[in-house]
Structure formats: structure tokens, C-alpha cells
Amino acid sequence: MTDIQTVNTTPFPDQEPGTSGLRKKVRVFQQPHYLENFVQALFDTLEDCTGQTLVLGGDGRYYNDIAIQTILKMAAAAGFSRVLVGQNGLLSTPAASAVIRRHQAFGGIILSASHNPGGPEGDFGIKYNISNGGPAPGKVTDAVFERSKSIDKYHIGAGEDVALERLGETRHGAMTIEIVDPVQDYAELMAELFDFSRIRALLTSGRFTMCFDAMHAITGPYAHTIFEDQLQAAAGTVINGQPLPDFGGGHPDPNLAHAKELVALLSQDSGPDFGAAADGDGDRNMVLGRGVFVSPSDSIAILTANAHLVPGYRAGLAGVARSMPTSQAVDRVAEQLGIPCYETPTGWKFFGNLLDADMATLCGEESFGTGSNHIREKDGLWAVLFWLNILAVRGISVAEIVHEHWANYGRNYYSRHDYEALDIDVANGIIAHLRDSLNQLRDRSFGDLQISHADDFSYTDPVDGSVSQHQGIRIGFSDSSRIVFRLSGTGTEGATLRIYLEKYESDATKLHLDTQGALADLISIAKRLCEVEQRSGREAPTVIT
Ligand code: G16
């Protein structure tokens, strides 16, 4: 890679990063110069890359290996002096964040389309994380998009592809490439935060079984090492543990709709006591007990309420944060603990400043994301270990912990209804219609439900004062129920309308209702307000979580 070539190119108009990086169909990335343009736009946007250290890895999906080689050659041309690459090009998103922080790197490039399906017909993605280990903030991604619109050349090192199998350093011109164990730094960090000996005692006690579904995605090697080797869970605890470029044809999204094998296991009377799954790049998690699903919004609330039982958080929490559409269950816990609770727009990047400023310690999102200040990404295995630590200390079942929580704080019934792959104009029309109706909605009633506020969420970052507008239509009711509408920023086909529904219940006789039943009134109000059926012809959502 000593010779640098300069290649002429023309801009692609569609390189605008979404909620979490640039995500497109694999075939879009396979167009000549597509990846190179974006990477060059990124390098042009960053301050001088000369002499800096970059972290590089991905979730192993189709095109990961090819993209890594291209990026290594472009990193050499951009003047990076060192690139830390996960062995075989693999790094989970949380592990990449941990590696960036531990090695004080300039930043990192993570190749993933997260929970989106992979394979030649599936999705690919690229995102950039800054030196704190977290997703690049809007001002960086906006600047990359701007640069991508005028790019006319990129620079790339010539030479052979780099072997990514063997750990250790090799030199390529002025740049050193170090192939690192993708699991080691991350596993060490987990052992610092959690009581491994207590969890090991639970897992080897003979009275507790668990199943972790890696969904043929990146967490397989991490889960084998941490759960089966270090914590001595029974062999076979990790299922679908081998990362595959197409995730075995599955949809690596850990929710009730896509983690079917795990959900079926946990619904049997003879099933494991505890079940969990993670997504394509390992930052999302789903937690189940035998016969019980823990909604992500409840999960962050329960972790917050029990954090004092976990070594890494025993000293107390500075505060908590949740994305706006996430239920307000954690708000109630924060209030009792007397700590602040911040409400941010959807997107993990919005937690970064709060974590850096030590204003929040734990963060959570309804989209199966939970994490803390240990890194700057949400972290699937961390959440699973947090739960295991609590279960090991409490000695009661997941269902008992959840039910006790509802009894103490009340229950926030919660569900998200997604209408996927809508025509983009139809979806934009729905949001525009809601925005136009906001004024008439305030003070309107539907039976017993009276609207108390209606707005288009705007967030002012309390640390840097930056303002993010149009982050979702919020409709709040006087009993603290809520309906939120927004369009997904991570899809790659048409547009996805997300409708988030939440109803608070403190009556002890009504804490164990069916979720969709408990939310039935709100569901019909939401459909009526947004006119989804008339405008899209869809009678029902594609996915309900
Ligand atoms: C990303 C973001 C999350 C966000 C989720 C869903 O997760 O990091 O903060 O909640 O997308 O976003 P949207 O509703 O816009 O599709 P991931 O796991 O896909 O990187």
C-alpha cells in the first residue's frame, strides 16, 4: 500500500446517513465507487487523519470482507498510522466501541446494517464512531452527506488484500495493521462490571438454565466465550452461535416476531428459566423468562431499580435516559431514586453527550436497546449479563422480578406497531397530516381519554445546546397514556411508519392483562388519527412488538 492511486468519481445523491449510519441494499453498495465515495467523504470531513489510529470491523454480513479490504487501502491513503481490525473482519458494535475507548483511537468504522437481513439480496451498512466510542453526532454525519454530494475523487492504496485471520501486527507502507481478538477487550470489560463468580454459581447450580440465541450473527463468539467458557453455562446454552454472512437466511432482530425458536423454547413449561437474544451487530437484546417477555421499556426500568445489586453500578446512578418513544416506566423509577431522567430523540447518538458529561449512567430504548456509560453504544450482551447478575443476587425468577416491579411502580402497557415498506410519499403524507392536525388535537377527547398535549418533538441537547427538530409526533392523554408516530430512519425499502402506544395502569387487579387488549382503545384512536388505512390501504401493521 505504498502507492496511492487517485480515482475520479461522481457523487451519488443518496448517501445520507439515517438513524444509525448509511444503510442500503447490498447491491447499492456493490455499485462501482459507491463505498469508496462514502468513505472518502468521511475521511475528508474528519480532521486530519494523519498519524491517527482507526478501529475497523463489522458484523460479518455479506460484503463485510470486501468492504474491509477497500477501507484498509483507503485508510492507508488517508494517512492513518495504525488500524486495529477485528480478526476475520469481525467486531460487534459494542466491542468496537470498547476497543475505540480502550485504545484511545481516533474513531472507528463499523460495517453493519444491524438487525436488517443480510446476504446478497439483503442489507449492508457503514457507520462511523468518534473517539468517545459513540456514534458520530448529527453535525458529523450531516457534513459527510454534504461532502458526498460534491465528491469528485478518492484516494486508495494499491497492493494485495490483507490476511485477516492471524492475530498480530503487519506493516503496510507507513501504516501498521493490527489484527485483534474481537472478544478479549470486551470480555474483560464485562468481567469488571459484573459479579462473574456469582453468575457462575447460578449457572452451575443445577437449578437454573438459560438459552442465548445469537441468531447466526456477531454475538456467537462473544456468547460462547463469556457464557459457556468463562461463566461455565452448560454446553449448548448458546444456539445459532456461528456468524453467517446471511444470518442463516434469518432476520437477526431479537424480538417476538423474529426470534421464534427462542420464544417457542421459553414458552414451554419445561423450557429454560432465562432466555435472551441479540441482533446482527450485537447491540440489541431481548430478554425472556419462562413464560414471560420483558418489554425493552420495562427492562431499562427494572435494571435501573436493581442497579445497586450490580458491582459496576453499586456506587449509584447519575441519571437515566430514554428515547422519546420508549415508555415512561423508567421515569417512575428515576423519580423514586431521586435522579434525573432525560428524554432524547430516537438514536443512540443522542445519549453520547449525557454519558460523557456524567449526567446519565443507564440508557434505554424501546427498540430493544439498553446500555450504560461503560461504552457509548447500546450493548446486547451487557444487558443479558446485567439480568443474570440480578437473578443471581435475587434468587427469584424473571416473572417474579417483573411482577414485583409492576406491583411497586405500576405497569406501563406498551407496544409498537410497524407498517413497513410503505410508499414514501404516503408515509410522508401521514406525518404531514398529523403535523397539520396538531392544533385541532389539543384538548380533544375520545370517550374517557382526553388529549392533554400534542406536539412534534424537538430536543435541545442540555450539554451542547444543539437542537434536533421533527423527532416524532407525540400525543399525550390526561391519564398519561401516549401515542407517538414517527418514520423509521433505518429501513432500506420504502418507508416504515412506527406507531408507539403506551398506557399506564396502577390498579393491582389490572396488571396482568393482555398487552394488545389493554391498548385496544389507543390502537384504534391511533389508526383513526393517522388515517393509515385510508392512505396506504393497509388494514394491519406488518410487525407488532
Ligand atoms: C438504531 C439506533 C437506535 C434506534 C433504532 C431504531 O438501532 O441506534 O437508537 O432506536 O435504530 O431506529 P428507527 O426507529 O429510526 O428505525 P440499530 O440497532 O438499528 O443500530
Side-chain angles (χ1 to χ4, degrees), residues 4 40 43 48-51 72-80 155-157:
I4 309 293
Q40 190 64 56
F43 289 161
D48 192 5
C49 305
T50 312
L72 281 173
K73 290 172 188 160
M74 292 187 69
F80 281 97
H155 311 289
I156 187 161

Side-chain angles (χ1 to χ4, degrees), residues 386-463:
F386 206 126
W387 266 95
L388 283 171
N389 201 144
I390 293 171
L391 290 165
V393 176
R394 301 288 311 273
I396 56 176
S397 70
V398 174
E400 285 166 319
I401 289 179
V402 171
H403 296 165
E404 174 199 271
H405 189 87
W406 293 341
N408 288 342
Y409 296 93
R411 176 172 180 188
N412 290 69
Y413 283 98
Y414 187 82
S415 183
R416 188 177 97 189
H417 289 206
D418 292 341
Y419 292 77
E420 295 179 329
L422 293 178
D423 178 89
I424 291 180
D425 291 337
V426 168
N428 286 332
I430 288 174
I431 296 295
H433 157 71
L434 286 165
R435 216 168 260 149
D436 291 346
S437 336
L438 284 173
N439 280 335
Q440 295 114 272
L441 283 176
R442 295 182 187 116
D443 299 325
R444 218 173 124 187
S445 295
F446 299 84
D448 292 344
L449 284 168
Q450 174 155 15
I451 294 183
S452 56
H453 63 273
D455 66 4
D456 187 354
F457 181 51
S458 167
Y459 177 67
T460 304
D461 186 301
V463 178

